[in-house]
Every structure is written in structure tokens, then in C-alpha cells.
Amino acid sequence: MASSPQYLSGNEIRQTFLDFFAQRGHKILPSASLVPEDPTVLLTIAGMLPFKPIFLGQRTAEVPRATTSQKCIRTNDIENVGRTVRHHTFFEMLGNFSFGDYFKEQAIAWAWELSTETFGLPPERLIVSVFEEDDEAFAIWRDKIGIPPHRIKRMGKDDNFWASGPTGPCGPCSEMYYDFHPELGDDNIDLEDGSRFIEYYNLVFMQYNRDAEGNLTPLQSKNIDTGMGLERMAQILQKVPNNYETDLIFPIIKTAAEIAGIDYSQADEKTKISLKVIGDHVRAVVHMIADEIRASNVGRGYVLRRLIRRVVRHGRLMGIEGEFTTKVAESAIALSEGAYPNVRQREGQIKAELQREENRFLKTLDRGEKLLAEIIQKALVGQASRLSSSGQDTHPKTEISGWDAFILYDTYGFPFELTQEIAAEQGLTVDTAGYEAAMEKQQTRSKEAHETIDLTVQGSLDKLAEHIQATEFLGYTQPLSQSVVEVILVNGKSVEEAEAGTDLQIVLDKTPFYAESGGQIGDRGYITGDGIVVRIEDVKKESDFFIHFGRIDRGTLRVGDPVTAQIDRSCRRRVQANHTATHLLQAALKKIVDDSISQAGSLVAFDRLRFDFNSPRALTSEELQQIEEQVNTWIAEAHAGKVEVLPLAEAKAKGAIAMFGEKYGDEVRVLDFPGVSMELCGGTHVSNTAEIGVFKIISESGVAAGVRRIEAVAGPSVLDYLNVRDKVVKELSGNLKAKPEELPDRINNLQNELKSTQKQLEALKAELAIAKSDQLLSQAETVGDGKILVAQLGEVDAESLKTAAERLQQKLGNAAVVLASVPEPQKVNFVAVFSPEVNKKGLQAGKFIGAIAKICGGGGGGRPNLAQAGGRDASKIKEALETARSQLRESLQA
């Protein structure tokens, strides 16, 4: 009989797991970054993701067995965070992996030993599931482990068959569950009952390959992929009611509660949910920022921004005013630094990013509160909300529409609960059903973009992976190579040959072509053979295969052909100059602006370079000039470059800077220009800075909150840039009859002349409108004790129309004047000017002219005495004016 579960801290559980498998021949590997190497996945969402190329057979495993604690991010169930006992955006997956070594029986035996003997889980509290057709796994659990058959549940493929996608490696899995309430007995066991059972360990037996027709064939090399949720095991061993109250998360929650002045144990359920959301999300954002993700409106940056904003919103719901995220982050950093030292090393960047995003969002929340106040005011007077897409008030004045509440949440980030609370203070309710309907539509769109792991490689490459070797890259030292055609792909399908005129992708056994990576674009060039010429326009890397994208200009290319692969040396020299200049640019930014600046993205092309970096402010023109001068000084000093391949730890110890987007193994390539720049980089570079020639900054701009961008050119690209500018200057000089140095003054004078002419034109238009309007006085009708004048005034612009209407009303005295004009096709202007006597009879210019403009497909409004409006349908202007005339007669008749 196993002992009762003993209390273990989260750190102890992690280390115990890793040590258990290390003692059984597994190599402990570090967690991969949350920015995955796999371009098909936005974030690292599973423990197996870093091993994708091995499972595909595209890369040979360095060790037969491995174990990891992998940090992961998933946001597809973000709305459940804090509401269930075990949903998270950030979690750690403990895993043990076999790459063609041990298989099903050994994986099951170790999982049982680890669970019952090492962690001390009572066997009578454990239940397992197997795939319904996996008799082998069922027999191992029953006969080798000794679990009673009624505690082994057969389940369908939706639950217990793992697949990477429509094709590729797949296989049955077996899951282990812990029973919190064994006293309920073994009758009618329902593993979907989350209050009783928790799945804590999943064993995937990767034993098949599925082809495009759905056929399963056994893999030559069978693999094991397992995952144990660290947070779930912590809940079990620490005997707490949910994952959030484990020592992995609860200290963060406690910090947030203290800031809010709340006792967690006494808090209501709504407040506890907010605290759990903060605890979970702060862990996530700390690790994301530490892995060089920065907030933005796209991709990973959008995920980060959304999580930070949810933290701030839930803080506001609990009454926290002002900044607080950096204080909560301190707790998360302290909890994680033992296992993940980079969170402490990047503490400054983490706090700076949080502070920027929090301040930005607090301003957004302020705007949301002001907008809600407007909505409430309009609801109280029975007006339609200006946010309503229909333009009609379909709700009673005691209710705020669900659409308005959704727009406040979705566009302005304003919490629905806060909308309800503030509305209630004014005696209003919110249309919850309408809000939920709008939210459901949004979630449906989100689900369509659900993150999945796809182990397939472009086209049919995955089917060929077991039969070809990884591409050998020779391009650092050789501009051409004698190679053999391994694969030809046309329209994503593998073919044996292709003829002239065909667009295709080619895999060679070795190549001098650099594949797009780390911001540097792929090489261009040619692949030639006996009567064959293939023009290569781009090269990309899929796992360890270099995919050459090109078109056959001449001949027929066949698999197995010997060919010569040769890069375009001119293009290579250009990209080398731009890439090395990018390194020098980063070094200059750190030296002149701020040493904490880090890269947030880059592009190295043949004709230009682009460098994104983290900065809370724009650079001054003086700083940009100093940076440009510093880079050119280093170029002129002719610093020789040195390339070394070093262990990663040694490279970091020497101070090498990692380039954004690069992934590093145990050994890394270090590019060092001593005294200037030292970075980890797999790109191609000049051997001496003098080869660059010259460097020129083109622009500096903002691309996202806290992220700036410098665009520049280097080497031969500078001459191209200057030639274009010189051509423009010569054309301007010729057209304006001025010397180049006289152009600024000449253009300024032309601009001033144009402004003066425009003012004169506007004055003439106004005079013409007044002259025309005087002719309309005779059309005024006497209605009651006043007059009305409704007329169209040609092609007059809106301002002149307003001037004319005001003049006519002044001349008529007690009068209502409504004028219209069509200044251009599909554009109608309206203006209404009412005297005080007209207002006293209940007519307001704003409401009146807004309704009239709707006839022409528009709208508008203004003050009771003066209002303007517009429309799009000029064909109905006559109808609109007749309606205005009729309504004025009816209202003013007395």
C-alpha cells in the first residue's frame, strides 16, 4: 500500500519529476521559448512542440530519451480562467519523451511508479482511460500494473486518440485521473465530472502515420510523448480546492488582494474570480515579456496586450485605482526565477512594458467611462445610443442595449460587470441577452482561429521525410555547390520531374543558398544542370530542409539529377552589408540612447534594412544623427569580424546578444566585431566592416506602443537610394526653375500662395452664396405670425450655405430658414436656422434637420437655433425639401 500523498511545493514537484526520469536515462532539457520555432503556431502551446521535427523524422534526436518542464500559453479558453478550478492561460507541462527507444509498457510502468511510489498517490484513488481499440494498453494496465478492469475506461477517438492534424504521426493515448471522492464508489463512474476527477497525466503512444486518405500505417520508429500538468499535480499534493490556491499561483493572488485591501478567504465569488484571473495572467505576461514578446495589435503582441488589459480590468473591478501590475509582477518573478532565471534578468523590461501598457489602458478605461456616461444620459431621455448599429432605439429607456455594452467591452475594453454596476446606480439595467449574443458571435470567430499543432510540412514533404536527409548548408563559405535533387514539389505535391515554365519547390542534399531566418531574406540565384536552368527567387527553411522556390527557365528537372547550385553574389553582398549594418545599428542604439534597448523585430533585404526596438519614446533628430555617424565611424575603422561556434552558456557569459526570432541549441554561432558588437546570429555577414561602405538612416517611426522602427540602407543600396533622391531633386528643380538649394524656399512660397488663393476662393464662394441667397427672399412664405423659406442653393459648399442661411434669417426676422445644396455628386448639404420665436413653438433646428437629412441617406444635428446635416442621395433632395416645407407649415400654423 502506497503512503498518503505528501505535501510538495511546486518547485519540488517539478524537480522530483525531472530527477525521476533523469535517473532512468533521460536527459533534462531546458524549457523552450514561448516563441516557437514552428512558424505555424503563434505560441508554444504544448510540451511536445519543441520536438516536432524529431517526431516527423526530419531531425535526428540527439538523445533517445528526454524530460522537460515546458512553459506553455493557451488562450482559446480564456473566458474560463478563474471560473473553473483548472483552466489557465499559462501552465507548465512536465513531460518524458522517447524517440524510438522505450514504448508503451515501459511508459505505463514508469507513470504508475512515479504516481504511486514517488508522489505517494493511493492506487485506490487512481483511474485510467485508454483508447477504445487499444487492447494492448488495456492489458498492460490490467495485467502488468494490476488495476481492476472496471477502473480502466475505454474512450473514443475524440478523447483518447491523439493526432497532429489530418495527416502525419498519431496514435492512441492513455490518461491518468485522480479521484477526490472515492467514497462515491465505482458505479457509474463519469470521468467528465470535474468536481470528482482530475486528469493529471496523459501518455501518448505515437505509433502510426496517417496519410491523406486516412490510412494508418505503423511508424518504423515509435515514440512516447507524455504530459503531466504541474499545476494539477500541485493541487492534488497540496490538497487545495483548485489550481489557483497552490503555491505556484496563490502568492501572486495574495499580493493583488493586499493591494486591493481584500481578504481572499472572506471575498465573494466574483472577487475571487478577479483575483484568480490576475494570478494566472500575471504569470503569463511575465514569461511572455521575458521571452522578448512585446505588446502590439497583431499576433503574439495582441495576446500579450489582451492579457495585460484583462489584469487591469479585474483590478479596477476590485476597486484598485492607478498602477498596480508591476507590484504583482514582482511576486510572479520571485516565484519563477529559480526555474526560469531569465524572468529576473529581464525584470526591468518586464516592469517597463507592464507600466506602459497599464497607463495606456487606464486612459482607455477613462474614455470608456465617459462614453458610458453619455449612453446612460441618452437612455434616460429615451434617445438611441450613438453606438447602436441600427440607429434606432429598440430598448426602453430603463435599459442599456446589449450591443452598446458589447461595444464598450470589445472596442474600449470596458468590463461588462462595471457597465452593469454603473447603470444600476442610475436605475438602469443592461440587456444581458443582447450582450451575450454579441459576445458569442465574437467567440465563434475566435474559435475559428483556434490554435492547433500541425506536424505536417509543406505539401508532401512529411511523407518523404523518412527517406531524405536534412539539407547541408554550405553558404557561409561557398557561393556554389555540386548538389543532388532530393525532392521536387509542384502545387504542394511531390513529382518525379518538371518541365520548363513550371513554378516549383526544390530540396537539395546540400546548398549554398541561405534560407530566410532571423529577419534575413532567402538568397536568389540559379540551379543548373545538363540543359537545365532553374531561376531561384526565394529560399525558406522547414525544420531541417531548405525549400528553394523557383521557376524552370530551360530543360526538364528530375529527382536525382546532379546540379550546380549557385547564389547571386551581388544580392548576397548587398544583404551581407545590410545585415552587418543592423548589428552595428543595435550597438549604436545601446551606446547612444539606452543600453537596455532590445530588438523587437527586423528585416534584412537586398535593398534595405529595418530594425524594430523597444523604446518608450521617439528618438530625436540629434540622436539619429549621432547614431548614423557612429555606425559610419565603425565602418571606416575597418573592424574585422570573427565567427565562432561556442556552447550557448559560454557565448552568453561573453556577453553575446541574441537576435530576435532566432532559436538556439546547445551550441551557437557567435559573430564578433571586437569592441563594437557581439551577437548570436545564423545570418550571413561581411568579414570586415569596411566592406559595408556607407550607412544611411531613412526614417524613424513608431509601429506599436513602446516599439520604434528605424529603416536604413547600407552598402550598394545607399547609391540606389541617393540616385532616386537625386532624380527627384533634378525633376523638381527643372519644374520649379530653381537650384536644388533653393527648393525649400521655393516650395514654401508656393504653399503660402496656395493657402492665400484658397482663402480668396472661399471668400468669393461666400459672397456668391450671399448674392444668390438674396434672390430667394421673394420665395419666403408667411405662416402664422412668421415666415418660412425652404430652397436649394446650387453647388454651394457647407460653410457658404450656413452663411447664406444665417443672413436670410436675420433679414426675415421671425423665420425658419432651411437651405440645401449639392456641392459634388453624391453629396448633399443641409442647414436650418430658426429664430427664437420658432424655437418657442417647439421646433429645434438640430432635431429637425437631422430627420430631413435621413431622407437623403444621411444625418446630422446641432443647436436649437442653428444646425447642419449631410446626405449621400442627391436624387431625393426635392423630396427632402418638400417634407421640410410641409412640416414647418404644420408646426408654425397658428
Side-chain angles (χ1 to χ4, degrees):
M1 175 70 74
S3 61
S4 298
Q6 58 173 326
Y7 178 93
L8 290 177
S9 69
N11 289 334
E12 289 171 334
I13 295 170
R14 183 192 301 110
Q15 196 58 51
T16 298
F17 182 96
L18 296 174
D19 289 344
F20 178 91
F21 285 103
Q23 292 161 8
R24 289 156 180 77
H26 295 66
K27 182 177 181 180
I28 300 176
L29 298 177
S31 172
S33 169
L34 288 171
V35 180
E37 183 176 358
D38 183 351
T40 69
V41 183
L42 194 64
L43 293 159
T44 299
I45 60 173
M48 57 72 61
L49 192 62
F51 303 112
K52 164 185 169 178
I54 298 173
F55 290 139
L56 276 173
Q58 298 164 354
R59 180 182 300 166
T60 302
E62 296 180 5
V63 292
R65 304 175 181 181
T67 183
T68 64
S69 177
Q70 175 63 50
K71 53 192 178 184
C72 304
I73 292 279
R74 290 183 190 172
T75 59
N76 50 295
D77 288 319
I78 193 170
E79 297 299 333
N80 289 325
V81 172
R83 301 181 185 277
T84 67
V85 298
R86 56 188 70 103
H87 271 101
H88 299 293
T89 56
F90 176 88
F91 60 95
E92 292 184 63
M93 189 62 74
L94 306 173
N96 57 286
F97 305 90
S98 168
F99 310 116
D101 188 9
Y102 63 86
F103 196 52
K104 200 172 294 186
E105 183 172 341
Q106 187 64 77
I108 289 174
W110 278 336
W112 184 258
E113 179 185 354
L114 175 68
S115 297
T116 59
E117 297 183 23
T118 303
F119 287 133
L121 303 184
E124 62 272 16
R125 282 181 174 260
L126 301 184
I127 290 180
V128 299
S129 67
V130 296
F131 179 51
E132 57 190 359
E133 299 175 14
D134 193 356
D135 295 331
E136 180 186 5
F138 188 98
I140 293 171
W141 283 114
R142 180 191 61 199
D143 302 334
K144 301 292 184 180
I145 304 302
I147 294 182
H150 67 276
R151 295 180 70 81
I152 307 173
K153 298 299 177 182
R154 292 182 183 267
M155 302 181 76
K157 63 180 181 180
D158 290 343
D159 296 299
N160 280 64
F161 193 90
W162 185 89
S164 63
T167 63
C170 56
C173 59
S174 182
E175 298 168 336
M176 300 183 71
Y177 292 80
Y178 183 80
D179 186 354
F180 289 108
H181 298 288
E183 70 276 4
L184 297 176
D186 294 344
D187 295 335
N188 301 317
I189 287 177
D190 179 10
L191 294 179
E192 296 296 319
D193 182 358
S195 62
R196 179 176 178 184
F197 299 103
I198 182 172
E199 176 206 336
Y200 69 90
Y201 207 170
N202 186 15
L203 316 177
V204 176
F205 311 126
M206 210 176 294
Q207 62 189 85
Y208 301 114
N209 183 69
R210 179 155 55 194
D211 63 22
E213 287 72 41
N215 301 314
L216 297 178
T217 56
L219 290 171
Q220 293 181 0
S221 179
K222 298 178 181 179
N223 304 307
I224 288 293
D225 158 27
T226 80
M228 174 187 283
L230 174 61
E231 293 79 9
R232 297 187 179 197
M233 182 55 77
Q235 180 193 345
I236 295 169
L237 296 183
Q238 295 176 17
K239 299 178 180 178
V240 292
N242 56 69
N243 293 0
Y244 298 95
E245 295 182 36
T246 67
D247 71 338
L248 293 164
I249 305 176
F250 193 68
I252 307 173
I253 291 175
K254 188 177 179 181
T255 300
E258 289 172 352
I259 294 171
I262 293 169
D263 181 348
Y264 178 84
S265 63
Q266 301 298 317
D268 58 28
E269 188 59 28
K270 176 182 172 183
T271 302
K272 284 185 176 180
I273 289 174
S274 289
L275 287 167
K276 289 173 184 176
V277 169
I278 292 172
D280 169 87
H281 288 10
V282 168
R283 270 210 316 168
V285 300
V286 161
H287 284 280
M288 290 175 77
I289 299 171
D291 280 350
E292 302 294 340
I293 298 172
R294 294 295 179 265
S296 70
N297 287 328
V298 294
R300 303 179 187 102
Y302 176 73
V303 175
L304 176 62
R305 174 164 288 166
R306 186 182 181 195
L307 293 176
I308 295 174
R309 290 189 167 193
R310 281 173 61 87
V311 169
V312 177
R313 286 205 318 267
H314 281 276
R316 180 69 72 93
L317 282 174
M318 296 189 302
I320 298 177
E321 298 290 340
E323 298 177 24
F324 73 98
T325 58
T326 56
K327 294 179 182 177
V328 183
E330 288 175 3
S331 179
I333 292 169
L335 287 175
S336 301
E337 63 179 324
Y340 304 102
N342 68 325
V343 297
R344 180 62 73 187
Q345 294 165 2
R346 296 192 170 103
E347 180 180 5
Q349 293 98 311
I350 292 169
K351 290 183 176 179
E353 185 75 2
L354 281 170
Q355 190 174 44
R356 274 195 300 272
E357 280 300 301
E358 183 172 13
N359 283 330
R360 185 186 182 96
F361 186 50
L362 284 173
K363 293 177 182 177
T364 297
L365 275 176
D366 289 338
R367 289 197 295 271
E369 288 174 335
K370 291 176 182 177
L371 188 55
L372 177 56
E374 292 179 21
I375 292 170
I376 288 173
Q377 183 61 32
K378 290 179 180 179
L380 290 173
V381 297
Q383 294 179 355
S385 166
R386 69 180 178 84
L387 285 176
S388 175
S389 60
S390 67
Q392 296 180 351
D393 186 12
T394 58
H395 299 279
K397 65 181 181 180
T398 57
E399 186 177 56
I400 290 175
S401 77
W403 177 253
D404 284 354
F406 173 72
I407 291 296
L408 278 166
Y409 171 81
D410 191 56
T411 304
Y412 297 90
F414 203 76
F416 178 65
E417 297 86 351
L418 200 53
T419 298
Q420 287 180 306
E421 181 180 327
I422 295 173
E425 293 173 358
Q426 301 296 325
L428 299 173
T429 60
V430 182
D431 175 16
T432 303
Y435 170 82
E436 290 176 349
M439 181 64 74
E440 185 177 349
K441 288 182 181 178
Q442 184 212 46
Q443 290 172 346
T444 299
R445 292 191 297 270
S446 177
K447 291 289 184 182
E448 291 171 356
H450 176 64
E451 302 151 312
T452 58
I453 303 172
D454 184 1
L455 295 185
T456 59
V457 179
Q458 179 179 351
S460 302
L461 194 57
D462 58 329
K463 297 179 182 178
L464 304 169
E466 296 182 5
H467 307 291
I468 61 176
Q469 297 297 315
T471 309
E472 181 183 0
F473 176 59
L474 307 173
Y476 288 134
T477 58
Q478 299 181 30
L480 61 84
S481 69
Q482 303 305 316
S483 307
V484 175
V485 177
E486 297 273 7
V487 176
I488 300 173
L489 298 173
V490 178
N491 296 324
K493 294 183 179 180
S494 175
V495 298
E496 288 299 311
E497 62 179 48
E499 299 179 345
T502 303
D503 293 316
L504 75 172
Q505 296 87 48
I506 303 168
V507 179
L508 305 174
D509 63 336
K510 50 183 173 286
T511 183
F513 285 83
Y514 182 84
E516 180 179 335
S517 180
Q520 179 178 329
I521 66 173
D523 276 325
R524 294 177 182 171
Y526 290 90
I527 293 176
T528 58
D530 186 11
I532 303 163
V533 177
V534 183
R535 185 173 69 256
I536 301 301
E537 295 294 339
D538 195 10
V539 184
K540 297 184 183 296
K541 191 176 180 182
E542 295 284 352
S543 296
D544 288 335
F545 300 106
F546 284 55
I547 317 296
H548 303 72
F549 291 75
R551 183 181 180 87
I552 302 178
D553 285 345
R554 187 168 71 243
T556 299
L557 184 70
R558 297 176 177 85
V559 173
D561 278 353
V563 293
T564 299
Q566 182 169 354
I567 64 171
D568 183 321
R569 298 193 190 194
S570 174
C571 287
R572 172 66 75 83
R573 283 193 293 271
R574 285 171 170 266
V575 83
Q576 285 180 166
N578 282 327
H579 202 158
T580 303
T582 304
H583 286 216
L584 301 184
L585 172 59
Q586 178 166 221
L589 280 163
K590 286 178 171 291
K591 178 180 179 181
I592 293 167
V593 181
D594 189 338
D595 187 57
S596 69
I597 279 177
S598 62
Q599 183 177 342
S602 70
L603 170 68
V604 180
F606 303 122
D607 59 343
R608 69 191 190 284
L609 66 93
R610 186 179 72 214
F611 186 78
D612 296 348
F613 57 99
N614 296 297
S615 176
R617 63 174 179 84
L619 303 190
T620 66
S621 58
E622 291 79 11
E623 287 172 327
L624 289 171
Q625 183 176 348
Q626 291 174 27
I627 290 166
E628 187 177 284
E629 289 174 353
Q630 178 62 78
V631 171
N632 282 306
T633 296
W634 284 331
I635 291 171
E637 289 172 349
H639 293 272
K642 181 173 66 173
V643 177
E644 290 182 285
V645 177
L646 300 173
L648 180 59
E650 182 180 342
K652 288 184 175 180
K654 285 188 172 184
I657 298 172
M659 289 292 284
F660 182 86
E662 288 290 310
K663 302 294 178 288
Y664 305 106
D666 291 337
E667 291 194 329
V668 293
R669 186 170 183 264
V670 180
L671 175 66
D672 185 15
F673 290 93
V676 177
S677 166
M678 180 166 62
E679 298 189 9
L680 310 183
C681 185
T684 60
H685 292 271
V686 300
S687 59
N688 189 296
T689 58
E691 296 174 34
I692 298 174
V694 66
F695 169 82
K696 179 67 181 174
I697 292 176
I698 298 173
S699 66
E700 191 269 354
S701 61
V703 292
V707 179
R708 308 295 300 178
R709 171 175 292 173
I710 286 179
E711 296 191 63
V713 288
S717 301
V718 176
L719 183 59
D720 296 340
Y721 171 74
L722 293 177
N723 283 337
V724 170
R725 291 175 69 90
D726 184 56
K727 182 180 178 181
V728 171
V729 170
K730 285 179 179 177
E731 287 182 0
L732 284 173
S733 295
N735 292 336
L736 298 178
K737 304 290 191 290
K739 296 178 181 178
E741 62 271 21
E742 296 172 348
L743 285 176
D745 288 340
R746 184 76 181 99
I747 291 172
N748 284 335
N749 290 337
L750 286 173
Q751 288 177 325
N752 291 333
E753 289 174 14
L754 179 60
K755 289 178 182 178
S756 176
T757 302
Q758 286 175 333
K759 287 181 179 179
Q760 292 175 19
L761 180 60
E762 289 170 1
L764 288 172
K765 283 182 178 180
E767 289 177 11
L768 180 61
I770 290 170
K772 286 183 177 181
S773 68
D774 284 345
Q775 299 173 15
L776 298 175
L777 286 169
S778 61
Q779 299 179 25
E781 299 178 42
T782 299
V783 178
D785 57 358
K787 292 184 178 182
I788 64 171
L789 175 57
V790 180
Q792 183 177 347
L793 196 60
E795 301 176 353
V796 175
D797 63 78
E799 188 60 30
S800 298
L801 192 69
K802 171 176 165 288
T803 302
E806 288 178 310
R807 177 182 173 87
L808 287 169
Q809 189 273 317
Q810 288 173 359
K811 287 196 172 188
L812 292 171
N814 175 14
V817 177
V818 174
L819 297 182
S821 67
V822 184
E824 57 187 75
Q826 306 306 315
K827 184 174 182 181
V828 181
N829 291 331
F830 290 98
V831 63
V833 181
F834 292 174
S835 66
E837 293 84 358
V838 172
N839 290 152
K840 289 176 183 178
K841 292 191 176 183
L843 285 178
Q844 293 188 353
K847 288 183 180 180
F848 183 87
I849 204 63
I852 296 301
K854 285 183 179 179
I855 298 172
C856 292
R863 302 192 305 271
N865 65 317
L866 171 65
Q868 291 177 283
R872 298 182 298 275
D873 188 353
S875 68
K876 294 186 177 181
I877 192 170
K878 206 169 178 184
E879 177 187 345
L881 292 177
E882 284 302 321
T883 302
R885 184 177 288 109
S886 175
Q887 289 183 2
L888 287 174
R889 286 172 178 165
E890 182 179 345
S891 299
L892 298 178
Q893 191 73 44

